[in-house]
Amino acid sequence: MVGSSVDQLAISYRNFKTLLDSGHDLRGGLMLMKESTSGVAKFQASHLLSFVEQGRKLSDAMRTLSYPDMDVALVSVGETTGFLPDVSGMLATYYEERSQMVKAVKS
């Protein structure tokens, strides 16, 4: 999660879910994310993509970027069960709601 904020995580997970739901495979979705982002998000997508292209699990790549343990565990379950788009959507919703709560507390 190198340099990621709650908002960035929400956006990344939501975009990833959308790409997977639209028919892209894991590699294709990560490639599109890498090509369409910049900065930290581009670095993360590139790193995740390199792991996947080596035949390694997305969740293992996430662990090397210090994603929260909950995220890594849920993505691992999604990879194993074939429900990765659903898991990405659940994580997006979680971070969207968390962001709203933080903003409400600050205002």
Side-chain angles (χ1 to χ4, degrees), residues 17-95:
K17 178 188 177 12
T18 301
L19 289 169
L20 293 176
D21 281 344
S22 68
H24 292 283
D25 64 3
L26 178 59
R27 183 180 170 280
L30 289 170
M31 193 173 296
L32 282 170
M33 289 181 75
K34 176 185 166 188
E35 293 170 358
S36 64
T37 56
S38 61
V40 172
K42 184 178 193 82
F43 166 79
Q44 289 176 339
S46 178
H47 182 80
L48 297 172
L49 178 61
S50 72
F51 263 66
V52 169
E53 288 179 329
Q54 294 171 20
R56 298 171 76 182
K57 294 175 73 173
L58 177 63
S59 54
D60 292 338
M62 291 172 66
R63 192 172 286 110
T64 67
L65 291 173
S66 301
Y67 274 79
D69 290 339
M70 177 188 76
D71 296 24
V72 174
L74 287 171
V75 168
S76 180
V77 169
E79 289 175 302
T80 303
T81 62
F83 288 100
L84 191 54
D86 297 318
V87 168
S88 296
M90 288 187 292
L91 286 166
T93 300
Y94 168 76
Y95 284 111

